[in-house]
């Protein structure tokens, strides 16, 4: 097929290129005028598109008529014919290669491969049924009703072209009215399958293979399969190259766009040159791209370029083919031409409707949303377009019998294309609106209203803030509020019989609201995954897997994707671990401890020294390598007959070497010789060799014994087992390879799980905007919190399985985030003019080089020592005295995943300072020692959860109060901490105990802070109660206890004149303990009793 394709570029001697229409000119063509025609067409198309914004088919129709007028002028005027002659002499295949690559790539790029993959077999079936119906029905109509006497081959080619669905225009009308992307991708996927199959068929017709007498049906089918497979492989390979270009950090946007467009054309030409389908190759390239395949913000730019080129190409094509039609004889344009065009239009839509009816049962079974309404809409999607028009001239070029009016092929195709673009597009949109398929559901409308209210609140807060600015004192704020007020207006076709005022009162079941919220949660999670990838937190592979998994679980009603679903989606490391364990058990080990057992026996020591030396092991492998040539001669019958005696001698020699090797090992290892699998195997090889030698000897004594000869021959073939010990050399290499793959899977799973946890946190911040109903909000919150806890547990299991891998991944992510922060600051300084443009570019290159160097970051890093961990704790940095204090008075404790550090209700065993790892705290509602009569309104049975990481302290408040621990601490990862068996004595902080009705005077001079850590007190002057945990205000001079026992932490002011390294650190430590415990219990109070607090504080939980 490559030879055929090349003929379109280089014309062979004696063959003139066929013209699209008309005959060759007998005059010299003046260059330059045709370019002016092209530019004029582009300008006119742009003006028409600006004036007729919502009617692209009208623009194409006007350009087609204009082209027809120009063609008629060229037919009657030599001057105009000179202008259009370069078009008329251009081969049709050249136009196909010029225009189709960009358009098919743009169509494939807009398809979501994850959605298409789930419905691939349904889409393939629709395409095949559509092709079959087109061949049968449309081919019959062409042969029956056409009066132009086309031959069978022309009719088949014409029916194939008219049966093609345009992948661009078939979904344009649906995209503008908010139809689900699943259905647009089904229609577009079917269109690309039909276009790809048709392009392959036309390639076969263009080739010379059909004229070979030995060409059979089997070879046709085999050739088609090889073309499809080769095109897919070619497209996939080129997509990897294009992705590498687009993701290169050092390439600028303009270079990336130029290289991308160039590679698109190169991919198409490579496929066509090697006899494959360039269209299928480009479809493969487009399907392999997603939003993560581009650098941030470059996807929008490339998409705009593709849309621009595609729009210009379509305008040129319809104008050019209008010119070609006009250059023909008008005598062939009769009334029957219009009638036959209408018949073709009706037949095309009938074939489409019949196809949808036949495949509807399958679509109903595959998708729970599909129904007869969707069937009606999809039945109108058989829109023809540019690809049918580009292949139309090939009908005449490939026909066995040439017709007198070839322009009629183009006329029929162009007419049907414009009719389907206008009528079918309108009917698709009208049917979708009439049948309520584009209606916005009530839960969706409520979610939009919540979002609008949230935006309105932000606008109102902004206006309130602006009112305080001095430069805006004379602003008419009433007018500002009036102009910035946002009202949500429901489109007239977005709902059925539901008024705007009744939306809130509409009785919706909780299941309906949760199902709608579930889809919103999936969208938020996918957005979070993509943002994490752009920020460098999540790898591209992990983000792509998470997004694909989310899209896979979206169609399942009521299903919230958990981390176990994602693990099932990608888990493939269990068999690797089993394979590694098997290889480890087969690995050959030497027991050198036997040297001690032989004492002064010099012979045994010498034998052991020889056996355990590397040279002895290599000698055994060399013997095996040397036997390869004799084994080849033994397996080759002719060489074996010529060298019988020599092969027998060589076999005896090698068996003797095997016996010598086994004897040396048995002498040195004795009974332990058979503890190794490989020694047992070598012993069996030696026994088989000895039996082989004896059989050969007995054959010489009894040459007439047929059974003995057969046994000898079989044993001769068994000599091949002598090469099995070679596997000993491969096993260490295989273990390393498997270990690397296991580490990669662990790193990927950890990255996926961490990204999932982050997405759950992001979603919890937005669920208030999803649904305003409290019951739905609470259920969503519980689901997300449960999924998050499961994911955190999975993080602990992964870290337990490969701690060095997790440390390397965390380190790499920390480096990436630090560099990203530096880049953000650089951009800010650059934008403010503090850094010059040249300096900014050079500094940007430095940071990008560091990011690129992370690709070679080690896959595993051993964990640091506890000393290094202490220096990395924020509040211990540059505090060498305190670090030494901890080393002297605390002991290092190790906890594994799932170990319990302390239990709720038990007396504390000490204070734990976490230096690495993470623990989770579970607690019932805290009492803080407050009397039950004072906390009667605080009753709640909900459990509280918090995560503690490096630098956090566990058990300090219980030790301080000598009370039972109020929470259970469980390790979520491997954890190291420093354990204090005795509480630390503070120099600048002490604890005061206050009983019920006892009073205490507060001296603001000697007391910097007074913190109620347990119990409750009342201000004797103002009678304002204060409940733990709380910091007493400076206005409080005297307090009285209201609980049986109250504990107050008094912090004294430090003396700045003295060296306060130790005391200051002690106070900071104590404050940190109380503040962390304070924040932890404060969140419970704020969640249930927001009105009981004078101040608000937020605790940020940073997961590992």
């Amino acid at each position: 097929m490559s030879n055929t394709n090349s003929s379109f570029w280089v014309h062979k001697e004696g063959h003139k290129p066929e013209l699209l229409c008309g005959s060759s000119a007998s005059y010299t063509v003046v260059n330059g005028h045709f370019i002016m025609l092209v530019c004029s067409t582009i300008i006119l198309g742009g003006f028409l598109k600006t004036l007729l914004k919502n009617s692209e088919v009208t623009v194409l129709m006007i350009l087609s008529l204009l082209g027809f007028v120009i063609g008629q002028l060229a037919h009657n005027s030599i001057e105009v014919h000179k202008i259009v002659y370069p078009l008329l002499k251009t081969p049709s295949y050249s136009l196909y290669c010029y225009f189709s690559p960009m358009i098919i790539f743009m169509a494939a790029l807009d398809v979501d491969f994850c959605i298409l993959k789930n419905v691939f077999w349904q889409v393939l079936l629709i395409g095949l049924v559509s092709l079959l119906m087109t061949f049968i029905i449309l081919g019959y109509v062409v042969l029956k009703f056409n009066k132009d006497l086309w031959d069978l081959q022309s009719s088949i080619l014409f029916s194939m072209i008219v049966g093609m669905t345009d992948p661009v225009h078939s979904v344009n009308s649906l995209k503008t009215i908010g139809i689900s992307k699943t259905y647009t991708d089904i229609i577009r996927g079917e269109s690309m399958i039909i276009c790809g199959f048709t392009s392959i068929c036309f390639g076969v017709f263009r080739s010379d293979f059909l004229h070979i007498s030995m060409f059979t049906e089997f070879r046709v089918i085999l050739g088609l399969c090889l073309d499809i497979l080769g095109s897919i492989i070619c497209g996939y390979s080129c997509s990897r190259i294009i992705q590498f270009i687009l993701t290169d950090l050092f390439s600028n946007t303009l270079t990336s766009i130029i290289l991308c467009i160039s590679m698109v054309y190169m991919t198409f030409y490579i496929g066509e040159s090697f006899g494959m389908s360039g269209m299928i190759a480009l479809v493969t390239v487009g399907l392999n791209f997603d939003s993560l395949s581009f650098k941030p913000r470059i996807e929008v730019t490339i998409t705009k370029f593709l849309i621009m080129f595609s729009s210009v190409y379509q305008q040129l094509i319809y104008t050019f083919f209008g010119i070609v039609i006009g250059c023909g004889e008008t005598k062939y344009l009769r009334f029957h031409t219009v009638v036959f065009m209408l018949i073709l239009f009706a037949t095309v839509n009938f074939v489409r409707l019949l196809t949808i009816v036949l495949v509807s049962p399958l679509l109903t079974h595959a998708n729970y949303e599909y129904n007869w309404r969707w069937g009606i809409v999809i039945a109108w999607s058989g829109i023809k377009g540019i690809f049918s028009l580009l292949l139309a001239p090939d009908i005449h070029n490939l026909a066995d019998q040439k017709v007198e009016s070839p322009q009629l092929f183009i006329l029929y195709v162009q007419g049907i294309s414009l009719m389907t673009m206008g009528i079918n597009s309108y009917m698709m949109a009208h049917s979708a609106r009439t049948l309520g398929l584009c209606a916005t559901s009530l839960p969706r409308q409520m979610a939009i209203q919540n979002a609008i209210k949230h935006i309105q609140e932000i606008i109102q807060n902004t206006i309130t803030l602006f009112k305080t600015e001095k430069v805006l004192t004379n602003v008419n704020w009433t007018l500002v509020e009036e102009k910035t007020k946002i009202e949500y207006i429901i489109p007239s076709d977005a709902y059925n019989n539901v008024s705007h005022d009744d939306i809130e009162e509409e009785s919706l079941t909780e299941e309906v609201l949760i199902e709608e919220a579930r889809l919103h949660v999936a969208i938020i999670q996918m957005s979070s995954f993509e943002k994490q990838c752009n920020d460098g937190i999540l790898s591209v592979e992990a983000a792509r897997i998470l997004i694909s998994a989310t899209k896979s679980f979206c169609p399942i009603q009521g299903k919230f994707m958990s981390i176990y679903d994602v693990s099932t989606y990608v888990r493939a490391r269990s068999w690797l671990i089993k394979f590694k364990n098997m290889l480890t058990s087969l690995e050959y080990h030497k027991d050198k401890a036997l040297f001690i057992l032989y004492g002064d026996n010099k012979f045994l020591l010498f034998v052991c020294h020889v056996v355990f030396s590397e040279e002895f092991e290599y000698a055994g492998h060399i013997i095996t390598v040397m036997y390869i040539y004799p084994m080849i001669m033994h397996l080759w019958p002719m060489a074996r007959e010529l060298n019988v005696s020599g092969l027998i001698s060589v076999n005896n020699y090698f068996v003797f070497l095997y016996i010598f090797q086994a004897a040396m090992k048995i002498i040195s290892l004795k009974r332990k010789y058979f503890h190794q699998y490989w020694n047992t195997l070598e012993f069996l090889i030696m026994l088989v060799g000895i039996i082989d030698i004896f059989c050969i000897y007995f054959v010489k004594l009894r040459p007439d014994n047929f059974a003995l000869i057969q046994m000898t021959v079989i044993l001769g073939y068994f000599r091949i087992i002598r090469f099995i010990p070679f596997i000993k050399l491969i096993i260490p290499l295989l273990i390393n390879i498997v270990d690397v793959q296991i580490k990669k899977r662990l790193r990927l799973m950890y990255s996926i799980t961490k990204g999932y946890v982050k997405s759950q946190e992001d979603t919890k911040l937005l669920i208030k905007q999803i649904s305003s109903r409290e019951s739905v909000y609470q259920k969503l919150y519980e689901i997300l919190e449960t999924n998050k806890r499961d994911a955190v547990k999975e993080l602990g299991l992964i870290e337990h399985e490969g701690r060095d891998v997790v440390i390397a991944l965390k380190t790499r992510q920390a480096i990436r985030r630090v560099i990203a922060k530096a880049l953000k600051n650089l951009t800010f300084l650059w934008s403010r003019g503090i850094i010059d443009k040249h300096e900014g570019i050079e500094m940007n290159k430095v940071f990008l080089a560091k990011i690129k160097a992370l690709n070679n970051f080690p896959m595993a890093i051993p964990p640091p020592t506890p000393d290094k961990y202490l220096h990395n704790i924020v509040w211990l940095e540059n505090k060498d005295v305190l670090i030494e204090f901890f080393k002297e008075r605390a002991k290092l404790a190790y906890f594994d995943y799932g170990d319990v550090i302390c239990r709720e209700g038990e007396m504390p065993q000490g204070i734990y300072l976490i230096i690495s790892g993470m623990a989770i705290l579970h607690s019932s509602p805290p009492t803080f020692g407050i009397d039950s009569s004072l906390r009667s309104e605080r009753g709640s049975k909900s459990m509280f959860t918090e995560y503690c990481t490096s630098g956090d302290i566990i058990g300090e408040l219980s030790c301080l109060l000598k009370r039972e621990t109020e929470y259970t601490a469980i390790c979520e990862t491997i954890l190291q901490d420093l354990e204090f068996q005795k509480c630390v004595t503070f120099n600048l902080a002490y604890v005061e105990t206050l009983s019920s009705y006892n009073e205490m005077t507060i001296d603001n001079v000697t007391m910097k802070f007074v913190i109620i850590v347990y119990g409750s007190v009342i201000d004797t002057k103002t009678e304002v109660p204060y409940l733990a945990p709380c910091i007493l205000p400076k206005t409080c001079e005297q307090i009285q206890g209201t609980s049986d026992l109250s504990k107050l932490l008094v912090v004294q002011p430090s003396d700045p004149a003295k060296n306060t390294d130790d005391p200051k650190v002690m106070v900071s430590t104590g404050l940190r303990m109380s503040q962390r415990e304070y924040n932890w219990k404060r969140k419970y109070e704020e969640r249930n009793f927001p009105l009981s607090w004078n101040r608000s504080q937020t605790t940020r939980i940073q997961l590992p």
Side-chain angles (χ1 to χ4, degrees):
M1 200 177 292
S2 58
N3 295 333
T4 304
N5 294 342
S6 63
S7 66
F8 287 96
W9 305 99
V10 181
H11 307 301
K12 300 179 181 178
E13 295 182 2
H15 293 276
K16 295 183 179 179
E18 285 197 68
L19 302 181
L20 288 176
C21 188
S23 58
S24 59
S26 57
Y27 47 78
T28 303
V29 180
V30 180
N31 295 325
H33 294 84
F34 181 72
I35 301 299
M36 183 180 65
L37 175 64
V38 173
C39 296
S40 302
T41 303
I42 296 174
I43 294 172
L44 179 60
F47 277 117
L48 291 175
K49 199 165 185 179
T50 303
L51 296 174
L52 306 172
K53 296 180 180 180
N54 298 324
S55 182
E56 186 176 0
V57 63
T58 306
V59 175
L60 297 179
M61 190 177 299
I62 294 174
L63 292 176
S64 300
L65 293 175
L66 178 63
F68 179 79
V69 172
I70 295 174
Q72 283 292 298
L73 293 175
H75 183 73
N76 300 313
S77 172
I78 296 178
E79 295 299 326
V80 180
H81 194 272
K82 290 180 180 181
I83 298 175
V84 302
Y85 181 71
L87 169 66
L88 300 179
K89 74 174 184 179
T90 303
S92 58
Y93 183 73
S94 298
L95 290 178
Y96 174 75
C97 294
Y98 294 158
F99 295 118
S100 60
M102 290 289 289
I103 300 176
I104 192 65
F105 176 70
M106 184 193 70
L109 190 63
D110 194 41
V111 175
D112 193 330
F113 180 68
C114 297
I115 297 177
L116 188 63
K117 180 175 62 176
N118 296 331
V119 293
F120 174 75
W121 295 110
Q122 294 87 333
V123 172
L124 180 63
L125 180 63
I126 295 175
L128 295 178
V129 172
S130 179
L131 284 172
L132 181 62
M133 293 295 101
T134 300
F135 277 133
I136 296 175
I137 299 177
L138 196 58
Y140 172 78
V141 170
V142 172
L143 290 173
K144 183 72 174 178
F145 295 97
N146 184 27
K147 295 183 179 181
D148 295 318
L149 302 177
W150 294 348
D151 61 345
L152 180 61
Q153 183 169 325
S154 299
S155 300
I156 292 176
L157 293 175
F158 181 81
S159 63
M160 290 174 62
I161 288 176
V162 176
M164 293 176 65
T165 303
D166 189 88
V168 178
H169 290 284
S170 58
V171 296
N172 278 351
S173 59
L174 295 180
K175 291 170 64 177
T176 58
I177 59 176
I179 294 296
S180 172
K181 188 171 173 56
T182 302
Y183 293 99
T184 59
D185 285 349
I186 288 176
I187 297 172
R188 186 165 277 173
E190 177 215 353
S191 304
M192 290 189 295
I193 288 176
I194 296 175
C195 289
F197 183 80
T198 306
S199 67
I200 290 179
C201 292
F202 267 78
V204 172
F205 275 103
R206 292 191 195 100
S207 66
D208 296 329
F209 293 150
L210 290 176
H211 303 290
I212 301 176
S213 58
M214 298 297 293
F215 195 62
T216 61
E217 292 81 357
F218 174 76
R219 291 185 62 187
V220 172
I221 297 175
L222 181 62
L224 289 175
C225 294
L226 292 177
D227 285 348
I228 296 173
L229 182 61
S231 301
I232 294 174
I233 294 174
C234 175
Y236 180 80
S237 303
C238 293
S239 68
R240 299 297 99 183
I241 299 174
I242 298 175
Q243 286 187 16
F244 175 78
I245 294 172
L246 295 178
T247 55
D248 185 17
L249 294 174
F250 292 97
S251 63
N252 57 50
T253 303
L254 182 60
T255 304
S256 299
I257 293 174
I258 294 173
L259 290 175
C260 177
I261 295 175
S262 302
M263 282 300 301
V264 166
Y265 276 98
M266 183 62 69
T267 303
F268 182 85
Y269 295 148
I270 289 174
E272 294 291 329
S273 299
F274 285 94
M276 299 175 291
S277 172
M279 186 173 290
I280 293 181
L282 285 181
V283 168
T284 306
V285 172
L287 292 178
N288 275 280
F289 279 13
D290 53 25
S291 59
L292 303 177
S293 302
F294 304 90
K295 290 191 299 183
R297 296 178 298 275
I298 196 176
E299 181 187 9
V300 178
T301 306
I302 291 181
T303 304
K304 288 182 179 179
F305 267 88
L306 292 175
I307 294 174
M308 178 185 68
F309 278 112
S310 300
S311 178
V312 171
Y313 285 175
Q314 290 187 60
Q315 295 170 9
L316 290 176
I317 289 168
Y318 278 87
T319 305
F320 287 170
F321 282 98
I323 293 173
V324 171
I325 296 172
C327 287
E329 296 288 342
T330 56
K331 64 180 181 179
Y332 297 106
L333 302 179
R334 302 183 296 270
F335 177 75
H336 175 266
T337 304
V338 179
V339 174
F340 185 63
M341 191 180 299
L342 295 175
I343 293 174
L344 288 175
F345 173 75
T347 306
V348 164
N349 287 291
F350 173 75
V351 170
R352 184 67 179 172
L353 177 62
L354 182 61
T355 301
I356 299 303
V357 170
L358 292 176
V359 300
S360 286
L362 181 63
L363 292 176
T364 304
H365 177 74
N367 195 321
Y368 67 89
E369 291 183 352
Y370 182 83
N371 50 38
W372 63 271
R373 296 181 180 87
W374 284 113
I376 293 175
V377 174
I378 297 176
W380 286 106
S381 63
I383 300 174
K384 316 306 171 187
I386 185 173
F387 297 104
S388 301
L389 203 54
L390 286 172
L391 292 175
D394 280 340
I395 301 175
H396 175 68
N397 297 335
L398 301 175
D400 291 334
Q401 299 178 3
K402 306 297 181 182
V403 297
E404 296 180 356
S405 54
Q407 70 273 14
L408 289 181
F409 294 119
I410 303 174
L411 175 62
Y412 290 138
V413 173
Q414 191 162 353
I416 294 173
S417 172
L418 293 173
M419 291 173 67
T420 53
M421 278 187 193
I423 299 174
N424 288 30
S425 296
Y426 172 78
M427 290 303 300
M428 284 178 68
H430 180 71
S431 301
R433 291 191 180 97
T434 304
L435 298 175
L437 297 179
C438 58
T440 304
S441 63
L442 292 178
R444 176 62 179 163
Q445 294 177 30
M446 295 173 65
I448 295 174
Q449 281 189 337
N450 291 333
I452 294 297
K453 289 179 181 177
H454 180 68
I455 295 173
Q456 190 65 50
E457 290 175 0
I458 294 175
I459 293 174
Q460 191 62 40
N461 293 336
T462 305
I463 292 174
T464 304
L465 182 62
F466 284 171
K467 287 180 180 179
T468 62
E469 296 186 8
K470 296 179 180 180
V471 295
L472 300 176
T473 52
N474 296 324
V475 174
N476 187 345
W477 293 111
T478 304
L479 185 60
V480 172
E481 292 177 354
E482 180 183 350
K483 296 298 182 180
T484 56
K485 186 177 180 180
I486 299 176
E487 295 182 357
Y488 173 54
I489 302 175
I490 306 174
S492 58
D493 57 349
Y495 60 96
N496 294 320
N497 301 324
V498 180
S499 64
H500 174 66
D501 297 331
D502 295 336
I503 290 177
E504 292 291 346
E505 289 75 15
E506 184 72 20
S507 58
L508 294 173
T509 62
E510 187 172 308
E511 290 76 12
V512 174
L513 292 173
I514 290 178
E515 177 62 22
E516 184 71 22
R518 183 185 69 86
L519 300 178
H520 283 282
V521 167
I523 296 172
I524 295 171
Q525 287 179 336
M526 288 188 287
S527 176
S528 175
F529 299 145
E530 188 170 346
K531 185 178 184 302
Q532 291 179 59
C533 181
N534 294 333
D535 293 341
I537 302 174
L538 204 59
S539 65
V540 175
E541 184 181 6
R544 188 171 284 125
I545 289 173
L546 283 167
I547 293 174
S548 301
T550 305
K551 291 179 179 178
S552 298
F553 287 103
C554 266
I556 304 176
Q557 279 186 301
K559 177 64 177 176
F560 286 84
M561 185 183 69
S562 67
I563 190 60
Y564 303 115
D565 298 323
V566 184
S567 301
T568 305
Y569 189 80
V570 297
R571 188 177 298 277
R573 70 173 186 266
S574 58
W575 71 270
L576 287 173
I577 295 176
K578 293 178 181 178
F579 185 55
K580 180 186 176 182
N581 294 335
M582 183 187 69
L583 292 175
T584 304
S585 64
L586 294 176
E587 192 175 11
Y588 183 69
H589 302 282
K590 296 178 182 179
D591 190 5
K592 296 187 178 182
L594 294 173
F595 279 102
I596 306 173
L597 302 177
Y598 296 117
D600 297 332
N601 193 327
K602 295 183 179 180
F603 174 73
L604 292 179
L605 289 175
F606 173 75
V607 172
C608 282
H609 180 74
V610 172
V611 169
F612 288 106
S613 64
E614 297 292 336
E615 292 80 2
F616 184 80
E617 189 71 23
Y618 293 147
H621 296 315
I622 291 172
I623 292 172
T624 306
V625 173
M626 290 172 59
Y627 190 68
I628 293 177
Y629 182 70
M631 190 66 200
I632 294 174
M633 294 185 64
H634 177 76
L635 296 176
W636 192 1
M638 185 178 295
R640 184 174 64 242
E641 292 176 3
L642 297 175
N643 302 278
V644 174
S645 59
L647 289 174
I648 293 175
S649 301
V650 170
N651 181 58
N652 295 338
Y653 173 72
F654 278 98
V655 171
F656 170 75
L657 292 178
Y658 286 130
I659 294 173
F660 176 75
Q661 182 185 19
M664 294 282 286
K665 289 186 177 182
I666 291 174
I667 291 172
S668 61
L669 298 175
K670 292 185 172 46
R671 293 180 179 178
K672 290 189 177 181
Y673 173 78
F674 293 101
H675 292 177
Q676 283 276 357
Y677 297 122
W678 292 107
N679 292 337
T680 306
L681 177 64
E682 290 175 357
F683 187 78
L684 291 176
I685 292 173
M686 180 195 69
L687 289 180
V688 173
I690 294 173
I691 296 172
D692 186 21
I693 291 175
F694 277 105
C695 287
I696 293 173
Y697 176 73
F698 289 137
V699 167
K700 291 181 179 179
L701 297 178
R702 301 285 300 275
D704 56 342
N705 192 328
F706 181 74
L708 187 60
I709 294 173
Q710 289 285 356
M711 183 178 179
T712 305
V713 172
I714 294 173
L715 287 175
Y717 285 108
F718 266 96
R719 295 176 190 173
I720 200 169
I721 65 175
R722 298 175 185 177
F723 300 106
I724 295 179
F726 261 140
I727 301 177
K728 285 194 295 184
L729 299 175
I730 306 174
I731 285 180
L733 179 62
L734 290 177
I735 290 177
N736 292 334
I737 294 174
V738 172
D739 192 52
V740 169
Q741 294 301 318
I742 290 175
K743 289 180 179 179
K744 285 183 178 179
R745 302 305 298 181
L746 284 173
R747 184 173 66 176
L748 177 63
M749 277 305 304
Y750 192 87
S751 181
I752 288 172
T753 309
K754 190 173 180 181
Y756 179 83
V757 172
K758 184 67 169 62
S759 71
Q760 297 297 104
E761 293 178 349
D762 295 341
T763 307
K764 286 197 296 184
L765 298 175
L766 298 173
I767 54 177
K768 269 293 186 183
Q769 276 69 46
I770 296 176
S771 178
S772 58
R773 185 176 293 186
E774 185 64 26
S775 60
V776 176
Y777 167 77
Q778 288 293 340
K779 190 165 185 178
L780 286 177
Y781 188 90
E782 292 174 2
I783 292 173
L784 295 174
E785 186 64 27
T786 302
N787 290 340
K788 177 187 172 182
R789 285 199 295 267
D790 293 340
V792 172
K793 290 180 181 178
E794 191 73 12
L795 285 176
L797 290 174
I798 296 173
E799 185 168 354
H800 178 268
E801 193 171 347
R803 191 181 180 198
D804 53 347
V805 177
V806 174
I807 290 175
L809 179 60
K810 289 181 179 179
T811 307
R812 183 182 183 276
Q813 290 178 346
I815 296 171
R816 180 68 175 82
R817 295 179 68 178
V818 170
I819 297 175
K821 185 68 175 178
L823 275 173
K824 187 176 181 180
N825 293 332
L826 174 64
T827 305
F828 174 78
L829 296 175
W830 191 352
S831 63
R832 296 299 185 271
I834 300 174
I835 296 178
D836 186 68
K837 180 179 180 181
H838 175 71
E839 296 171 350
I841 292 174
E842 294 301 321
M843 293 178 66
N844 188 66
K845 288 181 180 179
V846 172
F847 287 125
L848 293 180
K850 289 185 176 294
I851 294 176
K852 196 170 185 179
L854 292 177
N855 295 331
N856 301 322
F857 198 78
M859 192 174 298
I861 297 177
T865 60
D867 293 344
K868 294 182 179 179
Y869 274 127
L870 284 174
H871 288 280
N872 291 332
I873 296 176
V874 176
W875 56 276
L876 287 179
E877 287 182 353
N878 302 321
K879 303 293 189 303
D880 295 334
V881 177
L882 184 56
I883 291 175
E884 291 300 324
F885 171 82
F886 284 152
K887 290 180 181 179
E888 293 174 0
R889 305 202 179 185
K891 66 177 183 179
L892 188 64
Y894 292 91
F895 294 92
D896 202 349
Y897 169 77
D899 289 350
V900 178
I901 302 175
C902 58
R903 294 185 184 275
E904 183 178 0
E906 295 181 354
M907 291 301 295
Q909 302 299 317
I911 300 176
Y912 301 92
L913 168 61
I914 301 176
I915 59 176
S916 70
M918 181 176 66
I920 184 172
L921 307 183
H922 297 289
S923 172
S924 56
T927 62
F928 304 107
I930 303 173
D931 189 77
S932 59
S933 61
L934 299 176
R935 55 183 175 89
S936 59
E937 298 179 358
R938 295 185 171 196
S940 176
K941 297 182 180 180
S942 60
M943 296 295 292
F944 190 81
T945 302
E946 187 191 2
Y947 296 94
C948 295
T949 58
S950 177
D952 289 333
I953 302 174
I954 298 176
E956 74 281 11
L957 190 59
S958 299
C959 284
L960 185 66
L961 301 174
K962 296 181 181 180
R963 303 278 297 188
E964 295 86 357
T965 306
E966 293 190 350
Y967 48 77
T968 299
I970 303 174
C971 295
E972 285 294 311
T973 64
I974 298 175
L975 186 140
Q976 298 182 64
D977 61 26
L978 295 177
E979 182 179 357
F980 298 85
Q981 296 297 335
K982 296 182 179 180
C983 295
V984 182
T985 303
F986 298 93
N987 294 329
L988 296 178
Y990 60 92
V991 177
E992 285 283 353
T993 303
L994 191 64
S995 301
S996 179
Y997 301 110
N998 288 349
E999 296 182 353
M1000 174 182 171
T1001 302
I1002 299 176
D1003 187 358
N1004 291 325
V1005 177
T1006 59
M1007 299 178 182
K1008 185 176 182 179
F1009 296 108
V1010 178
I1011 305 171
I1012 306 175
V1013 295
Y1014 191 80
S1016 59
V1017 298
I1018 187 173
D1019 190 339
T1020 57
K1021 184 177 181 180
T1022 62
E1023 296 185 356
V1024 176
Y1026 297 99
L1027 307 179
C1030 177
I1031 301 177
L1032 295 180
K1034 295 292 184 179
T1035 58
C1036 190
E1037 298 178 355
Q1038 190 175 27
I1039 57 175
Q1040 178 182 338
T1042 56
S1043 297
D1044 294 338
L1045 184 68
S1046 300
K1047 295 283 185 176
L1048 290 85
L1049 178 64
V1050 180
V1051 181
Q1052 297 175 325
S1054 58
D1055 187 359
K1058 297 181 181 180
N1059 185 4
T1060 57
D1061 285 345
D1062 280 357
K1064 192 172 183 178
V1065 171
M1066 291 295 112
V1067 173
S1068 298
T1069 306
L1071 284 175
R1072 177 181 178 82
M1073 296 182 215
S1074 301
Q1075 188 66 26
R1076 186 199 61 76
E1077 195 90 5
Y1078 170 77
N1079 290 341
W1080 171 66
K1081 294 179 172 60
R1082 185 74 171 274
K1083 288 192 296 182
Y1084 166 80
E1085 300 292 342
E1086 287 179 340
R1087 179 178 172 186
N1088 295 278
F1089 322 104
L1091 298 178
S1092 63
W1093 296 95
N1094 297 324
R1095 296 175 300 274
S1096 62
Q1097 185 170 349
T1098 303
T1099 299
R1100 181 182 178 90
I1101 301 175
Q1102 182 64 44
L1103 297 180

